[in-house]
Amino acid sequence: MWAVWSEMRGGNWDLYARVFANGAWGPEQTVVSAPGSDIFHALAADESGRLFLVWQSFRDGQGDIYLSVHDGKKWGKATKVSESAANDWEPTVAVHNGRATIAWDSYDDGDYDILMREWADGKLGPPQTVVNTPSFEARPQALYDKQGRLWLTWEEGDAQWGKDYVSGIYDAGMGLLMRRQPRVAVRENGVWKQPPGSLADTLPEEFGQTMTTPRLALDGAGNPWVLFRYRTNTPTQGGDRYRTIWRQGATSFQGGKWIPAVRFPAGFGRIDAPPAVALAPDGWLNVVWPSDGRTFPRGFAAEHDLYEGRIAPGPDAGAIPLVAFEAPTESFPAVHPNEAADVARMRGYRAKVGGKTLRIVRGDMHRHTDISWDGNRDGSLFDCYRYAMDAAGMDYLGVADHGAGEQIPYNYRLGQRGGPADHPGALCAALWLRAQS
């Protein structure tokens, strides 16, 4: 059994691994060591035991996707998979019959779209577009079924994501967490299809509006499962404000439809807390999920723990009915049609003041995420960084999440803060996104 993780050492995030065999862990291996953060890794093995490791690297000043293959003896050279000049994010990898498919999302067209690329016989094929619309399409997850069909799920959100959102002005941009729902697509004989129906309908209407971080699995009977987190609100004392609680749920396509969602016990927590799921030899799904101790209706985090459970397989899936894939058609006029040129002009501007050369540095010093009790509409910590780096083209970002008196070391670490003693009421961190003279 292999374990691969990302760890910061000497101020740099790299990938490390260890092997568990013969009842003991072997020595640590350095898989990737390069300037810049190597993060968001995913790992899969083929039938011969080769390992396919993909990850997101910022070694060249932008997010790119890389691949390394372990042939049973050693890790191969890191190979760049993505080709975009924009940021590419959060890859996934699936393998079948010695072939690997890597999927990721890219901001190349000014919004997040899903791309993929196939590896076979030591070579990468050309990049392929899975879905490219003005909508928010990100965080894909991939696997192959026994028939050799590729299954993908990802998050779908509104067009103009992160662009000058103003409440009540509906032809402007969209907030960071207005609508988010999982999509599922299946590539059969080179054609993209989908199971009929919407995953949002598996929850009550008030919960189905925002569903995030999907994970994909097939049980032993061949039924597809999508595990996700969804938002629910609980009123504070007086009922005039709301605390947001995120809960773990799952649904499966059985009997020609998506079944009502299963709600996980002790499944409350942050958005960026997806489960791990694996098929057991008996056909059940083994699931491990995190919880930060929140309970309904009290929306405050407490102790972080891991929970484990099993999902029974459904009836034999048989021939799953698939229909033509329908991409979203939502589109609005660009809020800033010349945004790239505007950002470049501001970054290139210099002023002589008092014998010094000064430049404009754009950023946001007060953003909230779902770590805050009031982070209802600002989304996750990673979405906040995506917003600053891609949608807004900022040079720095200040995350100012409220601890609300809950002194939880893990949340302070997420905000890159020294600890609760520094500021017991809020998490305050500033991240420089670009380094320019």
Side-chain angles (χ1 to χ4, degrees):
M1 181 179 68
W2 282 79
V4 179
W5 68 93
S6 180
E7 182 175 337
M8 179 186 281
R9 297 182 184 178
N12 195 66
W13 289 93
D14 293 314
L15 296 179
Y16 303 90
R18 294 181 75 179
V19 181
F20 187 85
N22 301 319
W25 286 101
E28 180 182 280
Q29 304 176 30
T30 299
V31 182
V32 179
S33 180
S37 296
D38 295 295
I39 53 177
F40 291 126
H41 54 286
L43 183 68
D46 68 8
E47 296 82 354
S48 68
R50 284 183 303 187
L51 300 177
F52 295 82
L53 178 67
V54 296
W55 69 94
Q56 179 181 350
S57 177
F58 282 92
R59 66 185 63 188
D60 296 318
Q62 68 179 45
D64 289 308
I65 309 304
Y66 280 79
L67 164 71
S68 179
V69 180
H70 192 284
D71 61 5
K73 297 180 180 179
K74 64 180 181 179
W75 290 100
K77 180 181 178 181
T79 301
K80 187 177 178 182
V81 177
S82 59
E83 298 181 349
S84 167
N87 284 320
D88 300 295
W89 293 86
E90 300 190 47
T92 182
V93 59
V95 294
H96 181 71
N97 287 342
R99 303 172 66 90
T101 298
I102 304 105
W104 68 95
D105 67 82
S106 175
Y107 206 76
D108 191 48
D109 282 349
D111 58 77
Y112 293 114
D113 301 306
I114 307 298
L115 303 177
M116 58 175 275
R117 201 167 183 181
E118 296 181 326
W119 180 99
D121 300 324
K123 298 180 180 179
L124 284 168
Q128 304 175 49
T129 298
V130 178
V131 58
N132 181 351
T133 77
S135 297
F136 178 103
E137 291 140 346
R139 299 189 176 93
Q141 293 288 300
L143 59 77
Y144 278 94
D145 62 18
K146 294 181 180 179
Q147 291 76 39
R149 298 177 298 188
L150 177 66
W151 288 72
L152 279 178
T153 184
W154 62 87
E155 292 182 21
E156 180 186 281
D158 297 303
Q160 298 286 358
W161 180 83
K163 301 294 187 183
D164 281 11
Y165 167 70
V166 180
S167 180
I169 302 179
Y170 301 107
D171 58 351
M174 286 294 175
L176 303 192
L177 199 64
M178 301 298 292
R179 180 183 69 86
R180 200 69 63 81
Q181 291 159 342
R183 291 296 305 271
V184 175
V186 185
R187 191 175 66 168
E188 185 177 53
N189 298 323
V191 178
W192 286 105
K193 300 180 180 181
Q194 67 182 34
S198 169
L199 276 76
D201 295 336
T202 66
L203 287 168
E205 184 177 358
E206 61 181 302
F207 300 146
Q209 180 72 9
T210 311
M211 305 159 67
T212 66
T213 53
R215 293 294 183 267
L216 193 60
L218 293 170
D219 67 25
N223 298 291
W225 287 81
V226 178
L227 292 77
F228 52 83
R229 300 192 69 77
Y230 66 93
R231 180 178 64 195
T232 178
N233 293 324
T234 176
T236 61
Q237 187 174 6
D240 58 338
R241 304 179 76 180
Y242 290 86
R243 303 191 191 285
T244 297
I245 303 180
W246 294 87
R247 189 171 188 179
Q248 186 65 51
T251 183
S252 176
F253 191 83
Q254 299 178 15
K257 62 182 180 181
W258 294 102
I259 65 174
V262 177
R263 306 183 191 190
F264 282 47
F268 295 110
R270 297 169 30 251
I271 299 174
D272 291 321
V277 55
L279 177 64
D282 60 3
W284 288 56
L285 294 177
N286 290 334
V287 186
V288 177
W289 67 93
S291 173
D292 61 9
R294 304 185 203 201
T295 56
F296 193 88
R298 187 175 184 271
F300 290 107
E303 181 180 345
H304 290 74
D305 291 304
L306 292 176
Y307 293 82
E308 178 265 342
R310 310 192 79 209
I311 298 177
D316 186 270
I320 298 176
L322 299 174
V323 298
F325 177 76
E326 296 182 4
T329 57
E330 178 188 50
S331 182
F332 298 99
V335 175
H336 291 291
N338 300 314
E339 184 174 25
D342 293 341
V343 171
R345 185 167 65 253
M346 282 186 285
R347 285 179 173 162
Y349 178 80
R350 299 293 184 271
K352 298 285 186 179
V353 180
K356 297 181 179 180
T357 300
L358 304 180
R359 61 179 291 262
I360 297 172
V361 180
R362 297 171 55 252
D364 191 330
M365 288 299 296
H366 192 159
R367 301 298 300 186
H368 288 186
T369 76
D370 65 321
I371 295 174
S372 289
W373 66 266
D374 61 348
N376 186 27
R377 291 294 185 185
D378 261 3
S380 69
L381 185 65
F382 292 126
D383 266 9
C384 201
Y385 289 139
R386 283 180 177 242
Y387 152 75
M389 298 172 72
D390 294 332
M394 292 178 177
D395 300 304
Y396 67 90
L397 172 70
V399 177
D401 278 324
H402 290 291
E406 303 291 322
Q407 299 187 16
I408 301 170
Y410 183 69
N411 285 348
Y412 281 88
R413 290 187 62 189
L414 287 174
Q416 301 197 6
R417 188 69 176 161
D422 293 331
H423 195 315
L427 315 178
C428 301
L431 172 67
W432 287 96
L433 300 177
R434 294 177 59 88
Q436 292 183 316
S437 61

